[in-house]
C-alpha cells in the first residue's frame, strides 16, 4: 500500500489544510498492517484474527510522524519563529526531522536520563537544540507551555491541535487495509493523544459510511505510570517503557471519552507483562518494536486471560515505535553474554551444538 503521496495530500479532505498550506513530508504514513500467524495459536486462541499496525516503519521510526507532518506544515504556513516540544523521545525525533526539512529551528526538552539512546541520537543528528531537564516528562511539558507563551514559540506536542488531526489518519488506513474497522483496537497510552486521535478517525469513517462499525478502544498504561487508571496524576511515574513514563496525560479527558464511547477501557499492564510481550512479538512474529509499543499486546493477553474477548474477534494491536530506537532494552531482556569463538569450523560446530 506504499505511496509516495504525502499523507496530508492523500487525506486532505479530512484535514485542516488548504491549497496554501506548504506540505512538509518525509514519506510518512501508509504503514503495513501485518497478520500475526503464530501468536493466536500460541496464546490459546487459534481463531483470533490478530494484526499489527507497524507504526515503527514511519520515517523517524514512530507514529509521531503522522501528526508532525501536519503540525510542522501548519507552523511553516503560519510563519512560526521556531518550534518547541517536551518529549520522552519519539516526539523529539519526529519534530527535529520535520523541522530540519522545513528549515525551522526546533527546541527539545527531554527528561534527563530517561530517553532511549536511538531517539536522543536522532534528535541531535537532525539538528535540534536538545536540552535535558532535571525532571520528568510532565515537568518538561509544563516548562514548554510557559516558555512557548513567553517566547512566542510553536508547541508541537500533542496539545498542538494539528498533531491529533494528523494522527487520526492511522485509523483511516486500518479501515482501508482490513476493508472494515476491527472489533478491538489495542494501543499503548502515555500522554493519551494517540488513542484519542484513533477514535476521531474511526468515528469519522463510520459517520461517513466508510466503516460498518467502530472498534472498542482498549488503551493500556504502564502500571507504574497509570494515572488514568488511578484516577489522579502521579508525581513519580516509573516504568521500563520510557516512552510512556508519564504521570499527568495531556489528553486525559478525550482518552477516557474514547474508551467510554467505544465500549472499551483504559487499563494497565506491568513492566513484566510489557517485556514478555515485547519478546513474544519479536520471537513469534519477527517484529522488533519498542517496549512501550508492546503494551498493546500485553493488554490483549491480559484481556484474553480475563475472558473479555470473543475467540474469533478481529483485533489490531498498534506497534507505535521501532525497536531499533532502544537497543539497550533488547539487550537487557536477552541477557546473553556473547563469547568469541576461535575462527575454525570444528570450534564453530561445537559452539553451534551441531555435529
Ligand atoms: N508508544 C510510543 C513509542 C510513544 O513514543 C508514545 C508517546 C506512546 C506510545 C504513547 O502515545 O502519548 O499519544 O498516548 N510518546 C511521547 C513522546 C510522549 O514524547 O515521544 P500517547
Amino acid at each position: 500500500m506504499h505511496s509516495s503521496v504525502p499523507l496530508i495530500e492523500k487525506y486532505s479532505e479530512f484535514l485542516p489544510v488548504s491549497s496554501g498550506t506548504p506540505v512538509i513530508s518525509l514519506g510518512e504514513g501508509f504503514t503495513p498492517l501485518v497478520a500475526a500467524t503464530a501468536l493466536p495459536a500460541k496464546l490459546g486462541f487459534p481463531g483470533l484474527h490478530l494484526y499489527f499496525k507497524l507504526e515503527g516503519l514511519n520515517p523517524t521510526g514512530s507514529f509521531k510522524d503522522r501528526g508532525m507532518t501536519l503540525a510542522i506544515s501548519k507552523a511553516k504556513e503560519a510563519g512560526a519563529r521556531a518550534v518547541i516540544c517536551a518529549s520522552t523521545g519519539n516526539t523529539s525525533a519526529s519534530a527535529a526531522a520535520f523541522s530540519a526539512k522545513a528549515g525551522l529551528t526546533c527546541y527539545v526538552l527531554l527528561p534527563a536520563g530517561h530517553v532511549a539512546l536511538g531517539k536522543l541520537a536522532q534528535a541531535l543528528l537532525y539538528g535540534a537544540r536538545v536540552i535535558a531537564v532535571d525532571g520528568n516528562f510532565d515537568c518538561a511539558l509544563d516548562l514548554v507551555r510557559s516558555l512557548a507563551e513567553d517566547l512566542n514559540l510553536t508547541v508541537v506536542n500533542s496539545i498542538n491541535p494539528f498533531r491529533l488531526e494528523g494522527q487520526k489518519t492511522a485509523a483511516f488506513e486500518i479501515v482501508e487495509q482490513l476493508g472494515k474497522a476491527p472489533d478491538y483496537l489495542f494501543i499503548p497510552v502515555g500522554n493519551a493523544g494517540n488513542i484519542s486521535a484513533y477514535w476521531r478517525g474511526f468515528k469519522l469513517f463510520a459517520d461517513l459510511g466508510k466503516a460498518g462499525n467502530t472498534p472498542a478502544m482498549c488503551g493500556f498504561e504502564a502500571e507504574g505510570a497509570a494515572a488514568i487508571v488511578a484516577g489522579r496524576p502521579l508525581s513519580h511515574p516509573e516504568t521500563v517503557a520510557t516512552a510512556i513514563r508519564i504521570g499527568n496525560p495531556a489528553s486525559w479527558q478525550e482518552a477516557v471519552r474514547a474508551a467510554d464511547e467505544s465500549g472499551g477501557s483504559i487499563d494497565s499492564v506491568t513492566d513484566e507483562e510489557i517485556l514478555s510481550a515485547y519478546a513474544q512479538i519479536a520471537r513469534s512474529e519477527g517484529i522488533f518494536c519498542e517496549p512501550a509499543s508492546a503494551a498493546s499486546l500485553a493488554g490483549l493477553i491480559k484481556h484474553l486471560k480475563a475472558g473479555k474477548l470473543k475467540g474469533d474477534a478481529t483485533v489490531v494491536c498498534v506497534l507505535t515505535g521501532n525497536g531499533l530506537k532502544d537497543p539497550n532494552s533488547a539487550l537487557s531482556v536477552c541477557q546473553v553474554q556473547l563469547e568469541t569463538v576461535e575462527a575454525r569450523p570444528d570450534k564453530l560446530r561445537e559452539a553451534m551444538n551441531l555435529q
Side-chain angles (χ1 to χ4, degrees), residues 167-189:
Q167 281 173 216
K168 76 184 180 195
T169 58
F172 300 163
E173 287 178 19
I174 289 174
V175 170
E176 287 168 356
Q177 288 168 313
L178 283 177
K180 60 174 184 177
D183 299 320
Y184 298 87
L185 187 91
F186 283 78
I187 185 167
V189 172

Side-chain angles (χ1 to χ4, degrees), residues 63-64 87-91 188-194 243-244 246 290 292 320:
F63 71 94
K64 305 288 180 178
S87 180
T88 57
N90 282 322
T91 295
V189 172
N191 215 19
N194 210 26
I244 53 173
I246 293 173
E290 60 173 288
T320 46

Side-chain angles (χ1 to χ4, degrees), residues 16-352:
V17 287
S18 70
S19 55
T21 309
V23 175
I24 311 296
S25 171
L26 291 170
E28 59 290 328
F30 310 101
T31 58
L33 186 72
V34 174
T37 44
L39 268 174
K42 283 189 184 169
L43 297 176
F45 293 85
L48 200 66
H49 302 281
L50 173 59
Y51 297 85
F52 290 111
K53 180 70 169 160
L54 302 190
E55 288 292 276
L57 296 188
N58 274 293
T60 77
S62 85
F63 71 94
K64 305 288 180 178
D65 294 343
R66 294 179 182 278
M68 206 56 76
T69 181
L70 193 61
I72 297 292
S73 296
K74 295 299 283 188
K76 191 77 180 164
E77 182 177 13
R81 179 183 180 196
V83 305
I84 185 167
C85 66
S87 180
T88 57
N90 282 322
T91 295
S92 68
S94 187
F98 283 90
S99 295
K101 181 86 172 181
L104 281 170
T105 302
C106 175
Y107 295 92
V108 161
L109 269 55
L110 301 176
H114 293 278
V115 171
L117 194 64
K119 304 173 187 178
L120 178 61
Q122 286 180 289
L124 290 170
L125 193 68
Y126 290 132
R129 313 274 175 87
V130 178
I131 303 163
V133 177
D134 181 17
N136 60 28
F137 168 85
D138 306 287
C139 159
L141 185 57
D142 284 345
L143 288 164
V144 159
R145 288 181 203 261
S146 66
L147 282 172
E149 185 154 336
D150 292 349
L151 299 170
N152 188 27
L153 306 172
T154 302
V155 179
V156 293
N157 280 102
S158 54
I159 53 176
N160 175 317
F162 302 119
R163 280 277 314 277
L164 298 195
E165 285 298 293
Q167 281 173 216
K168 76 184 180 195
T169 58
F172 300 163
E173 287 178 19
I174 289 174
V175 170
E176 287 168 356
Q177 288 168 313
L178 283 177
K180 60 174 184 177
D183 299 320
Y184 298 87
L185 187 91
F186 283 78
I187 185 167
V189 172
N191 215 19
N194 210 26
I195 187 172
S196 307
Y198 270 88
W199 182 235
R200 288 186 195 179
F202 282 123
K203 259 196 318 195
L204 182 59
F205 262 32
D207 286 349
L208 294 172
K210 289 173 178 281
N213 60 309
T214 52
M217 306 293 288
C218 304
F220 287 84
E221 299 182 292
E223 192 178 73
I228 299 176
V229 174
R232 62 183 166 82
L234 306 174
S235 44
H236 299 290
E238 264 322 330
T239 167
V240 289
T242 52
I244 53 173
R245 186 176 172 272
I246 293 173
N248 190 13
S251 298
W252 184 317
Q253 299 309 333
E254 188 170 345
V256 168
R257 271 202 309 278
D260 289 349
E261 285 174 23
S262 69
S265 61
I266 295 183
D267 196 347
S268 67
V269 280
T270 64
D271 279 2
E272 205 183 350
E273 289 167 327
I274 288 173
L275 291 178
S276 164
Y278 172 59
Q280 285 187 75
I281 294 165
R283 291 173 183 198
S284 298
E285 302 295 338
I287 299 169
F288 191 16
C289 66
E290 60 173 288
S293 305
S296 58
L297 179 67
L300 171 62
I301 293 172
K302 183 174 179 180
H303 277 197
L304 285 171
K305 280 185 183 158
K308 291 189 179 170
L309 256 69
K310 279 200 300 189
D312 62 352
T314 298
V315 176
V316 171
C317 286
V318 182
L319 299 183
T320 46
N322 196 306
L324 291 170
K325 285 170 172 277
D326 187 4
N328 293 332
S329 288
L331 292 173
S332 71
V333 162
C334 296
Q335 292 204 328
V336 172
Q337 204 60 43
L338 272 195
E339 61 175 295
T340 305
V341 175
E342 210 181 316
R344 281 176 25 192
D346 56 329
K347 293 291 180 194
L348 288 172
R349 284 165 71 142
E350 208 177 290
M352 291 160 82

